Amino acid sequence: MTTILTTPETKARRSRPLGLDVWTTVSLALLLLFGLFLLYPMFGVLKESVVDPDGGLTLSHFVRFLANDYYVGTVRNSFVVSIAVTVVSLAIGVPFSYFYTYYRLRGAKLLFVGAVLSCMSAPFIGAYAWILLLGRNGVATQLLESVLPFKIGSIYGFGGIVLVLSLKLFPLVSVYMNAAFRSIDGSLLEAASLMGSTGLRRVWQVMIRLTVPTLLAASLLVFMRAFADFGTPMLIGEGYRTFTVEIYNQYLGEVGQNHNFAAAIGIIGVIVTAAVFLFQKFAANRFSFSLKAGSPVQKRRPRGIGGALIYAYMYVLIALAMLPQLYIVYLSFRNNNQVVFLPGYSLDNYRMAMGRLLGRSVYNTIMFAVVALAIIVLVSVLLAYLVVRRANPVNNFVDTVSMLPYIMPGAVIGIGLVIAFNSPPLALTGTAVVMIVMLVIRRMPYTIRSATATLMHLPMSIEEAARSLGASKLKAFWRITVPMMGAGVASGAVLSFVAIVTEMSAGIILYNNRTITLTMSAYVAITRGSYGLACAFSAILTVLTAVLLAIYLRFTREEDVRM
Amino acid sequence: MSVAITVKDVVKRYGETTVIPGLTTHIGRGEFFTLLGPSGCGKTTLLRMLAGFNTVESGDIFFNDVRINDVEPSKRRIGMVFQNYAIFPHLSVRKNVEFGLRNMDVPRKEVRSRAEEYIELVQIERWADQMPDRLSGGQQQRVALARALVTSPEVLLMDEPLSNLDAKLRVEMREVVREIQKRVGITTVYVTHDQEEAMAVSDRIAVMKDGVIQQLGTPRELYHRPANLFVGGFIGRTNVLDGQLHVENGQTLVTVAGATLVVPGLPGAADAVGPVKVAVRPEEFVLDSSATTGIPAVVDHGVFLGINTHYFLTLRDGTAVEVIQESEFDEVLEPGAEVFLDVKRHKINVFDRDGATNLRTGSTAAQQQVPA
Ligand SMILES: Nc1ncnc2c1ncn2[C@@H]1O[C@H](COP(=O)(O)OP(=O)(O)OP(=O)(O)O)[C@@H](O)[C@H]1O
Ligand SMILES: [Mg+2]
C-alpha cells in the first residue's frame, strides 16, 4: 500500500477551518462504526470471560477450562477435525482443479456450477441429508446393510464431520486452485519436461510447488470455515464434541447455562484461529514468489482408460457433493407423519411450513440480506478507497479491525453482540438491527479484501485525470472510481448475498420469533425432529441459493468467481 | 556430442489451415542454424516440432539417423531457451540450473559441480543463490541458457530468446549466445525475426515465408545474392526498380527509368527478355554530382548521419530511391538538384518479372530447399 498525497489535496485540506475534508469525515465515521459494532462487542466478550458472578475480576473460567480435559478436548477436537477436513479437501480439490484446468471435459460448466452450489449451500443441510441417508435409520444404511455381510461404520462423529465438511469445502480449494493452475505459464511446463520432469514428477516438482502460495491461502480458508462451523458438528458430531457446540450449550443450553464460561471458550477459540492465521501468514511469506503471466496451457481431451477415470472422478465427486441437496429437495415432497416418511408425494410439508412462519422467514431472510449487503458494499468501497488512496494510521487501523471477524467464529460474534446491546442505551438484542449488524460484520472482511484488491489495480492517474478536468474529489470518486471498481465488487457481493442467506452460527444466538430467517427455521425444524417441515424449509433455502447462484454464474466469468 | 538434424517433407496443420505445407532441410552437426522470417510465417511452429511440443502431421524428423517424430520431448535430449525465459520462480538460480541434472541419475556431488561450471560459463556466479525474480532480463537470459546447456543436450533450440531485451543488451547477449554455442559446439536452431541479429550469430540462415523456406544460405549469400525479391527486401534495405531487359550483340542490357545499363554476369538473361525487377541496395548506387550520364534523378532531401549521408531521390518514372554515400566535407546536394545515378553493376541483382528468380544465380525458392 502506498501513501499518495498530491499537493493540491494537501492545500485543500489546509484551507478548511477544522481540517476536516470529506474523506477525513468518512474515515472518522467508519472508525466510530467499527468501534461501536465490532470492538465494543468483542471487548464485551473479553470482559464477560474474566468476571465472576459478583462482578469481580477472575481467571477462574479459563482455569476451569484448562483444568478439565473434557473442555480442552472440545478445542482439540475442533482443531483435529478442521485439520482433517483441510487435508481431505486439498486431497480431493487439487486433483479436481488439475483435471478441470488441463483437460477439455464435457460438461465442465456443469461440474463447476455443481461445485459452487454445494459449497454455498447452508452449512447444516449436508449433515442433515447425510444423516437421513447414512444415519441410524438412513435409506442407504438399510439398503447397504441388507446387501453387505458386515455393518457399515457409523456416520456420526469424526468421520461424519469430515465427510460432510470436506464435500462442502473442497470447491473452495478448487476455485482457488483453478485460478492458480490457469496462471502457470505453459512454457514453464515445457521447460520442465525438456529437463526430464514429466508426468506426476512434473506435477509435484513444478505445478504443486508453483501453487504453494495458493494452496496455503485455500487451506487457511477451509480451516477457518471448518473450525468455526457449528451446524455440522451439532447435528452429526454426537459424542465428538467441538468447541462451537460447547459454546452453544454453555450459552443457550437447556441445562447449566454459563455465559461467562461460554465467553471464555470463545476467547480460547479466537486465540487458536489467530495462531493458525499468523502461522499461515508466516508460511505464506516463506513461499512467496511472483509469477509472471504467460500463455496458458492448452487443454487436452482426456483419452483412454485414464480419460474414463478422470470423468468418473469428476462426476462422482460432484454427484456426492450435490447429493445432499437433491435428496432434501426430493424428500420435501414425500409424505410423512413427521416421524417417519410414508409412501406417496404431496405438498403437505410446504403447507405446514406456511403455518410455521414461512412467510416471515423468507421476508426476513431477503430483507436482512439486502440491507446488510447494501451496507457492506458501501462501507467496503469507502474503506478500500481510504486504505489504498489515503493510507494513514487511522485508516490502516480501521482496515485491520475490519479483518477481525475473519478469525472470529460466528458464535463469538453472536455472543459479543448480545452482551453489548442487551441493555440501554442501545438495547438492540432481538431486533432486526442486531441481525443486520451481525450479518454485516460476518461478511464484511471478504468484500473489503476484494474491493481493496480491485482498487489497487486501478491506476491513480485516472482519478487525477478527472480531477485535472475539474471534477471535485467526491465527484471523481463516485463517477470514476466507483464505476471502475463496480464489476469486481458486484461479483463479490452476490456471493456475499448467498453467504448471508445461509448464515447460521451467529444467527442461532441472536434470532427470535420476530427475526427468524429461513436458515433458522430449517435448523429449528431439524432439531425438533420433524422431518417434513425440516425438509421443506431446507428445500426452499436450497432452491433460493441455487437460483441466486445460477443468476450469479450466468453473469460472471468463471475466472472472477471468488469465495 | 551433437547431432545433425534432417527435416523431410514436414507438414503442419492447425485444423483446416496448413501452416507448413511440406518443408525439407538439413542442419549440420554443431551448426548455428537460424530460422528468419516475418511474424506468423511458422518459425515457432517448426521449432516446436523439433522440440516435440507440436505434432507432425506428415513427414519425418531425424536426429542423425534416428527418426524422432514419436519420441517424447523429454527423451529427445534437447535444451531449449524460451522467449520469456521460463525460469522457475520458486527456485533459486542455482536450483534452476540444477533442475535438469537432478532429474537424471547424476550423483549429488556432480550435480553441484556441473551446475557451477555452467553458472560460471554464463557468468552469473554473483546471483547464483538469489531468487530469479530479482534478476534483470539479460541475467535471466543467461540463467535460461545455462539451464538449457547444463544437461549436455544434443540440440539447442532458441525461440526469439533476445526479443524481450532492450536494444543494447540484445547486441551484447547475442555475442554471448554465439560465443557459448561455439565453445560448447552444440547444434543450434535459433528463431528470430531480427535480420541483423540473424546475420550476426548464424552459420546459415533459412529465410521463411508462409511456411516455406525462401532461401537457405550463409548471411553473405543472403545479402548479396538473394534468391528472390522477398529475401532481397527482407534482408537489408533494397530499392526495387522496374526495368526492361534485352540482349544485344551478346551483351545484356537493362533499361531503367530512362537509362540503359550494361549488366554483366546474368546467365539466365536469355530466357528473361522483357520486363524485370532490378534490386539495388542503397550503397550500390554511385552518386557523382559531376556525372553527365546515368539514371537521371532529382534530389528530394538528404540526411547527414556522420559516416554516411542518405539521399532520397525521385527517378524519372516516379520511383523513390534511397542512396547511401560516404560523407564528404564539401558535398551538399540541395533539394531539387538534378543528378545522374550509376550502379555497381557486378553487385546489383536482377530478378524476373515477378521477382521469383534471381537471374544471376538462376535459383528459385524450390531449388533452394534441396538439402546441402
Ligand atoms: N495453436 C495454434 N492453433 C492455431 N493456429 C496456430 C497455432 N499456433 C500457431 N498458429 C498459426 O500458425 C501460424 C504460424 O505461427 P508461428 O507461431 O509459428 O509464427 P512465427 O513465425 O513464430 O511468428 P512470430 O514471429 O510472430 O512468433 C500463424 O498464422 C499462427 O496463427
Ligand atoms: Mg514465434
Side-chain angles (χ1 to χ4, degrees), chain A residues 298, chain B residues 12-15 17-20 37-48 54 83 159-160 191-193 208:
Chain A
Q298 293 261 326
Chain B
K12 179 72 207 172
R13 275 185 225 102
Y14 285 116
T17 50
T18 304
V19 178
I20 295 181
S39 189
C41 71
K43 308 180 293 289
T44 299
T45 305
L46 180 59
L47 193 80
R48 289 170 62 82
N54 278 353
Q83 183 171 3
D159 191 354
E160 309 210 19
V191 165
T192 180
H193 60 237
M208 289 178 70

Side-chain angles (χ1 to χ4, degrees), chain A residues 185 187-188 190-198 201 205-206 209-210 289-292, chain B residues 48 53 73-74 78 80 82 84-90 99-100 102-103 133 140 147:
Chain A
D185 186 351
S187 58
L188 283 178
E190 289 173 354
S193 72
L194 287 184
M195 288 183 272
S197 175
T198 51
R201 177 195 282 241
Q205 279 186 328
V206 182
R209 296 290 307 281
L210 282 176
F289 47 80
S290 58
L291 261 182
K292 266 182 288 181
Chain B
R48 289 170 62 82
F53 294 130
S74 54
I78 279 172
M80 188 153 173
F82 293 82
N84 62 356
Y85 323 129
I87 305 284
F88 300 125
H90 62 297
F99 189 91
R102 283 168 186 272
N103 288 319
D133 54 353
Q140 292 193 35
R147 194 180 66 173

Side-chain angles (χ1 to χ4, degrees), chain A residues 131 134-137 153-161 235-239:
Chain A
I131 290 172
L134 280 173
R136 275 181 207 99
N137 304 313
S154 164
I155 183 81
Y156 301 96
F158 178 82
I161 301 178
L235 291 180
I236 211 170
E238 293 212 333

Side-chain angles (χ1 to χ4, degrees), chain A residues 274-323:
Chain A
V276 170
F277 180 79
L278 293 176
F279 174 76
Q280 191 270 0
K281 280 271 162 293
F282 170 76
N285 264 343
R286 285 216 38 214
F287 285 104
S288 79
F289 47 80
S290 58
L291 261 182
K292 266 182 288 181
S295 51
V297 178
Q298 293 261 326
K299 286 184 185 229
R300 279 174 293 166
R301 271 245 175 258
R303 281 181 214 292
I305 300 190
L309 288 176
I310 290 174
Y311 271 112
Y313 179 81
M314 303 296 276
Y315 277 92
V316 168
L317 189 57
I318 290 300
L320 277 178
M322 294 287 295
L323 180 65

Side-chain angles (χ1 to χ4, degrees), chain A residues 70 74-75 78 161 227-253 262 265 411 505 509 523:
Chain A
Y70 171 81
T74 59
V75 172
S78 284
I161 301 178
F227 194 77
D229 190 52
F230 161 72
T232 309
M234 184 77 180
L235 291 180
I236 211 170
E238 293 212 333
Y240 197 83
R241 281 295 186 94
T242 66
F243 92 100
T244 42
V245 176
E246 194 57 37
I247 291 182
Y248 178 78
N249 285 340
Q250 292 292 338
Y251 204 80
L252 296 174
I265 301 177
S505 52
I509 289 173
Y523 181 75

Side-chain angles (χ1 to χ4, degrees), chain A residues 263-538:
Chain A
I265 301 177
I267 295 292
I268 286 168
V270 173
I271 290 171
V272 173
T273 50
V276 170
F277 180 79
L278 293 176
F279 174 76
Q280 191 270 0
K281 280 271 162 293
F282 170 76
N285 264 343
R286 285 216 38 214
F287 285 104
S288 79
F289 47 80
S290 58
L291 261 182
K292 266 182 288 181
S295 51
V297 178
Q298 293 261 326
K299 286 184 185 229
R300 279 174 293 166
R301 271 245 175 258
R303 281 181 214 292
I305 300 190
L309 288 176
I310 290 174
Y311 271 112
Y313 179 81
M314 303 296 276
Y315 277 92
V316 168
L317 189 57
I318 290 300
L320 277 178
M322 294 287 295
L323 180 65
Q325 300 167 64
L326 297 177
Y327 189 57
I328 287 286
V329 173
Y330 159 78
L331 284 184
S332 72
F333 296 106
R334 276 281 297 272
N335 286 331
N336 66 82
N337 62 5
Q338 297 309 322
V339 189
V340 285
F341 286 100
L342 305 168
Y345 302 91
S346 68
L347 289 176
D348 286 352
N349 296 327
Y350 290 95
R351 232 165 267 135
M352 191 158 49
M354 303 271 234
R356 299 285 176 87
L357 304 178
L358 176 62
R360 188 184 294 171
S361 300
V362 172
Y363 171 79
N364 281 346
T365 300
I366 306 271
M367 199 271 283
F368 294 170
V370 169
V371 177
L373 193 63
I375 298 173
I376 288 175
V377 169
L378 180 69
V379 173
S380 300
V381 169
L382 291 175
L383 186 56
Y385 187 87
L386 287 174
V387 170
V388 177
R389 297 281 195 251
R390 319 240 113 206
N392 65 34
V394 174
N395 294 340
N396 291 345
F397 175 73
V398 175
D399 185 45
T400 310
V401 168
S402 74
M403 284 298 123
L404 280 178
Y406 189 75
I407 57 163
M408 300 265 190
V412 177
I413 293 174
I415 294 178
L417 290 174
V418 174
I419 295 171
F421 303 116
N422 216 1
S423 50
L426 274 170
L428 299 174
T429 310
T431 63
V433 174
V434 83
M435 290 294 275
I436 290 168
V437 166
M438 177 273 291
L439 294 169
V440 171
I441 292 174
R442 291 270 282 149
R443 192 62 202 181
M444 180 94 77
Y446 300 90
T447 314
I448 289 180
R449 277 308 89 181
S450 78
T452 312
T454 314
L455 189 56
M456 282 213 216
H457 288 114
L458 291 185
M460 180 74 180
S461 54
I462 294 190
E463 270 158 63
E464 286 171 343
R467 302 264 285 131
S468 77
L469 294 170
S472 70
K473 256 182 270 185
L474 259 189
K475 191 161 181 188
F477 176 71
W478 283 119
R479 301 288 291 276
I480 308 294
T481 316
V482 171
M484 289 183 68
M485 291 171 72
V489 174
S491 87
V494 181
L495 277 186
S496 290
F497 193 88
V498 177
I500 288 170
V501 164
T502 58
E503 203 291 330
M504 152 101 186
S505 52
I508 199 80
I509 289 173
L510 294 171
Y511 88 97
N512 63 19
N513 252 2
R514 272 182 301 126
T515 58
I516 197 164
T517 62
L518 258 183
T519 317
M520 296 308 136
S521 290
Y523 181 75
V524 169
I526 290 173
T527 49
R528 296 221 174 111
S530 77
Y531 284 152
L533 208 51
C535 289
F537 275 116
S538 301

